[in-house]
């Protein structure tokens, strides 16, 4: 089972945890000003250094456009990797838990993901990868500024840790906006996972640390985790409040959404995100009992626009919406018939 | 004070708007505040881009406008526009100009955390020496402090005074 289908610790709210380490190779200019030949040298150096890890090397240039977008949708690569593809590549483990973006903003961006709330395991994995690369690569490092990065917002530990959270009750109650404003002061940011702007599609939010200089990896992780645990508690409280105050309406909403999801013949990605969010909430509150949460985790990923396009022979908007509805229906139909 | 909107919860969010001398106040609870927020300008209305923030953070630091990294030739001026440095050596080249903005972004300007094993020996030594230096300063042993300072500078690749 791929890691993103599994449900981990606090999986009713926390979908996944991720740790990213930014590194640069000593003696080379940063990726944004790197000449063609240097780009090739960086790619080759990293490819060779990563050999012991047994990762697949995927050149961005030779990858079909739709596969690139698919990797973005699965959060394996950043949208920035879609441009300047000739100089970029990604190293990826078979289970997709470990990826290394090459020549993104920094030469090396190690990324490790885990299901549920498990930042410590993600960091442990990332550190192992980092140690292997460091065997043969000399990193740019300054005793004062730590691991040097292209953007000074990352220098120091180069660590960006984040958790993906499903917050339907905090969103519906409007409390999310207060929360979003409050966490900024703690050196932590919250943003929607899907789509631009503040309105998160499918009630999915990403919470991540901002401070990388003057704070150790462990301390950053601890602070982020404390905040995530607090948000998880608030979301659960709010879910319970909604359940007590308007239980019947909530049950009605969940089953309506399930009904549409399990029967619709045309589903846009926006509508699918919303319906899947409602069904996810229904399962986590025990309203829907016969659908495993893993099915919903899988649907959240495979109904994204790039995943659907990849499967669509005749790739038009109508065909994509038809295919999306069929995939959702096939997964959810089990209990309705 | 109770929330002006729901009249049920304590007001914890207070807005004061003054336009042409006319003052408007609103007192709301944290649950109601987001819903009426649009009457009051917030930062996202002004559509500030990341590069604007970066340049405002770093432009204040330009006291010496013509600083250039000797290795990659990135100028501090171009950095303050893009927010992106050109190479690891830029950190040394722009050291003084970077300190304040980095402090504003991160709160600290001294790396704490993992160090590469290969750079490890030198780095560990520097950390040790810095501790000794602090000790020497606190006991007012300035002769020893000066010697330690020079040794640290030498290890960090800077000029020994």
């Amino acid at each position: 089972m791929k890691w993103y289908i599994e449900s981990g610790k606090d999986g009713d709210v926390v979908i996944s945890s991720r740790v990213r380490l930014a590194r640069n190779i000593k003696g080379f200019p940063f990726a944004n000003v790197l000449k063609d030949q240097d780009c090739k040298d960086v790619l080759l150096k990293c490819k060779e250094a990563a050999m012991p890890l047994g990762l697949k090397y995927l050149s961005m240039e030779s990858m079909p456009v739709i596969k690139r977008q698919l990797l973005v949708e699965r959060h394996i690569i950043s949208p920035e990797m879609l441009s300047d593809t000739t100089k970029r590549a990604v190293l990826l483990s078979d289970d997709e838990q470990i990826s290394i973006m090459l020549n993104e903003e920094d030469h090396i961006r190690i990324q490790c993901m885990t299901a549920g709330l498990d930042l410590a395991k993600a960091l442990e994995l990332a550190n192992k990868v980092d140690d292997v690369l460091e065997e043969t690569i000399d990193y740019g490092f300054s005793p004062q500024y730590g691991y040097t990065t292209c953007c000074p917002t990352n220098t120091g530990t180069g660590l960006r840790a984040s958790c993906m959270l499903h917050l339907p009750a905090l969103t519906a109650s409007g409390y999310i906006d207060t929360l979003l404003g409050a966490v900024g002061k703690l050196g932590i940011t919250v943003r929607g996972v899907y789509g631009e702007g503040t309105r998160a599609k499918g009630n999915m939010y990403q919470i991540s640390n901002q401070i990388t200089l003057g704070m150790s990896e462990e301390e950053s992780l601890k602070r982020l985790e404390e905040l995530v645990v607090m948000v998880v508690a608030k979301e659960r409280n709010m879910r319970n409040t909604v359940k007590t105050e308007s239980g019947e309406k909530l049950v009605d909403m969940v089953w309506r959404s399930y009904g549409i999801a399990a029967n619709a013949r045309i589903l846009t990605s926006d509508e699918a995100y919303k319906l899947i969010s409602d069904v996810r909430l229904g399962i986590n509150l025990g309203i829907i009992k016969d659908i495993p949460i893993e099915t919903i985790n899988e649907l959240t990923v495979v109904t994204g626009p790039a995943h659907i396009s990849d499967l669509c022979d005749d790739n038009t908007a109508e065909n994509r919406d038809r295919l999306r509805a069929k995939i959702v229906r096939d997964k959810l139909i089990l209990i309705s018939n | 004070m109770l929330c002006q909107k729901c009249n049920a919860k304590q007001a914890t969010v207070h807005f004061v708007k003054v336009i042409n001398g006319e003052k408007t106040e609103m007192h709301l609870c944290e649950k109601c505040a987001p819903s009426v927020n649009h009457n009051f300008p917030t930062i996202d209305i002004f559509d500030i881009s990341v590069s604007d923030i970066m340049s405002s953070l770093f432009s204040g630091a330009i006291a010496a406008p013509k600083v250039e990294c000797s290795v990659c030739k990135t100028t501090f001026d171009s950095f303050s526009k893009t927010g992106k440095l050109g190479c690891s050596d830029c950190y040394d080249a722009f050291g003084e100009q970077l300190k304040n903005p980095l402090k504003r972004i991160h709160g600290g300007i001294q790396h704490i955390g993992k160090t590469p094993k290969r750079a490890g020996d030198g780095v560990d030594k520097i950390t040790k020496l810095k501790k000794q230096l602090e000790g020497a300063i606190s006991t007012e042993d300035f002769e020893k402090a000066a010697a330690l300072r020079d040794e640290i500078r030498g290890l960090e690749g800077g000029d020994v005074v």
Side-chain angles (χ1 to χ4, degrees):
Chain A
M1 196 191 283
K2 288 258 163 67
W3 71 270
Y4 53 78
I5 297 174
E6 286 168 33
S7 178
K9 182 173 170 282
D10 296 322
D12 58 328
V13 182
V14 187
I15 311 299
S16 61
S17 303
R18 169 165 55 157
V19 160
R20 179 268 273 159
L21 297 175
R23 301 286 187 254
N24 284 284
I25 306 176
K26 199 174 163 181
F28 284 93
F30 290 146
N32 58 324
V33 286
L34 210 53
K35 300 268 187 316
D36 288 351
Q37 188 52 48
D38 281 346
C39 276
K40 284 185 189 137
D41 289 350
V42 166
L43 293 178
L44 190 67
K45 249 181 176 329
C46 296
K47 191 179 175 182
E48 282 173 358
M51 282 296 222
L53 295 164
L55 307 174
K56 267 183 300 191
Y57 178 89
L58 307 166
S59 136
M60 291 308 293
E61 192 186 12
S62 50
M63 194 187 295
V65 176
I66 193 68
K67 293 281 180 201
R68 296 175 197 165
Q69 284 164 346
L70 201 130
L71 291 184
V72 173
E73 220 166 71
R74 263 187 238 172
H75 308 288
I76 289 166
I77 60 171
S78 65
E80 187 160 341
M81 293 287 281
L82 299 177
S83 59
D84 282 337
T85 49
T86 50
K87 56 187 237 188
R88 294 174 163 151
V90 60
L91 289 155
L92 184 62
S93 68
D94 285 335
D95 60 5
E96 298 184 357
Q97 207 164 5
I98 301 170
S99 64
I100 309 174
M101 284 185 269
L102 302 177
N103 285 335
E104 203 240 27
E105 191 177 275
D106 296 297
H107 297 144
I108 298 168
R109 284 197 165 186
I110 302 163
Q111 195 170 251
C112 294
M113 301 193 257
T114 53
L117 178 56
D118 200 352
L119 288 163
K121 190 185 164 199
L123 178 65
E124 191 192 321
L125 262 177
N127 270 332
K128 273 186 192 156
V129 174
D130 187 41
D131 292 343
V132 170
L133 296 184
E134 204 206 307
E135 289 289 319
T136 45
I137 292 176
D138 276 322
Y139 285 144
F141 183 83
S142 133
Q144 170 149 29
Y145 299 120
Y147 292 93
T148 49
T149 53
C150 177
C151 187
T153 50
N154 297 315
T155 200
T157 56
L159 170 92
R160 185 77 76 238
S162 60
C163 289
M164 204 208 280
L165 274 69
H166 183 229
L167 305 174
L170 289 180
T171 307
S173 64
Y175 189 81
I176 193 80
D177 294 303
T178 316
L179 191 76
L180 262 54
V183 298
K185 297 179 193 94
L186 304 167
I188 283 168
T189 53
V190 184
R191 59 179 186 84
V193 173
Y194 300 106
E196 296 294 315
T198 49
R199 264 305 139 230
K201 286 181 194 170
N203 302 314
M204 291 287 188
Y205 297 84
Q206 183 175 296
I207 305 190
S208 57
N209 73 308
Q210 291 297 298
I211 297 170
T212 52
L213 188 60
M215 199 187 285
S216 70
E217 289 84 353
E218 288 72 21
E219 179 68 19
S220 288
L221 245 57
K222 190 173 144 255
R223 286 203 192 183
L224 179 66
E225 186 156 337
E226 278 169 5
L227 188 92
V228 169
V229 166
M230 187 207 81
V231 175
V232 167
K234 287 217 182 280
E235 168 67 21
R236 282 184 188 145
N237 272 343
M238 196 58 86
R239 286 181 190 178
N240 285 333
T241 308
V242 177
K243 209 174 167 184
T244 342
E245 282 179 13
S246 40
E248 194 185 14
K249 276 189 188 161
L250 177 73
V251 172
D252 182 63
M253 178 199 81
V254 165
W255 282 114
R256 270 171 191 275
S257 292
Y258 170 80
I260 297 171
N263 293 287
R265 261 51 182 172
I266 297 167
L267 272 183
T268 64
S269 66
D270 279 12
E271 190 179 9
Y273 282 133
K274 191 208 163 285
L275 297 174
I276 292 168
S277 169
D278 289 349
V279 174
R280 184 187 284 279
L281 179 67
I283 295 170
N284 284 325
L285 285 174
I287 297 167
I288 298 177
K289 293 194 174 66
D290 298 330
I291 303 175
I293 196 69
E294 286 79 5
T295 301
I296 299 303
N297 287 342
E298 189 179 354
L299 278 180
T300 307
V301 174
V302 300
T303 55
H307 282 77
I308 297 292
S309 297
D310 187 40
L311 297 173
C312 230
D313 296 330
D314 184 11
N315 197 358
T316 62
E318 290 81 9
N319 279 338
R320 283 199 296 275
D321 293 349
R322 261 181 226 124
L323 180 62
R324 182 178 293 109
K326 185 178 181 323
I327 289 172
V328 174
R329 217 160 61 225
D330 287 349
K331 283 280 175 192
L332 296 184
I333 207 93
L334 301 164
I335 61 162
S336 64
N337 288 340
Chain B
M1 188 189 297
L2 284 179
C3 169
Q4 288 177 349
K5 198 175 175 218
C6 65
N7 277 319
K9 288 188 171 171
Q10 272 296 324
T12 52
V13 182
H14 308 278
F15 293 108
V16 181
K17 182 167 74 172
V18 183
I19 293 175
N20 294 331
E22 192 188 328
K23 191 173 169 190
T24 329
E25 286 186 42
M26 269 185 112
H27 307 279
L28 304 160
C29 70
E30 51 186 302
K31 207 174 163 184
C32 294
S35 60
V36 293
N37 220 347
H38 60 269
N39 290 328
F40 286 80
T42 55
I43 192 149
D44 52 18
I45 295 172
F46 298 114
D47 191 26
I48 297 172
S49 72
V50 175
S51 66
D52 287 341
I53 296 172
M54 291 304 288
S55 61
S56 76
L57 266 172
F58 291 106
S59 60
I62 314 176
K66 290 279 176 236
V67 191
E68 187 186 84
C69 171
S70 61
V71 178
C72 70
K73 308 293 174 205
T74 298
T75 61
F76 191 79
D77 195 41
S78 77
F79 161 65
S80 65
K81 286 197 184 90
T82 61
K84 290 184 178 182
L85 291 162
C87 70
S88 290
D89 293 291
C90 289
Y91 281 91
D92 295 325
F94 308 143
E96 282 309 307
Q97 285 81 5
L98 278 174
K99 267 185 189 155
N100 278 331
L102 279 171
K103 197 164 183 153
R104 261 179 278 164
I105 297 170
H106 297 288
I109 49 163
Q110 176 58 53
H111 171 61
I112 304 171
K114 194 174 184 179
T115 56
K117 279 192 208 84
R118 214 186 297 269
D121 292 348
V123 173
D124 284 350
K125 201 169 175 194
I126 290 168
T127 320
K128 231 182 255 171
L129 288 172
K130 279 189 175 164
K131 280 221 175 89
Q132 287 179 24
L133 176 63
E134 277 170 30
I137 292 170
S138 66
T139 57
E140 299 191 2
D141 185 351
F142 296 117
E143 209 171 310
K144 190 178 170 192
L148 285 165
R149 180 202 60 195
D150 289 347
E151 199 177 344
I152 292 167
R153 281 194 187 160
L155 282 172
E156 285 181 343
D159 295 327
V160 179
V161 184

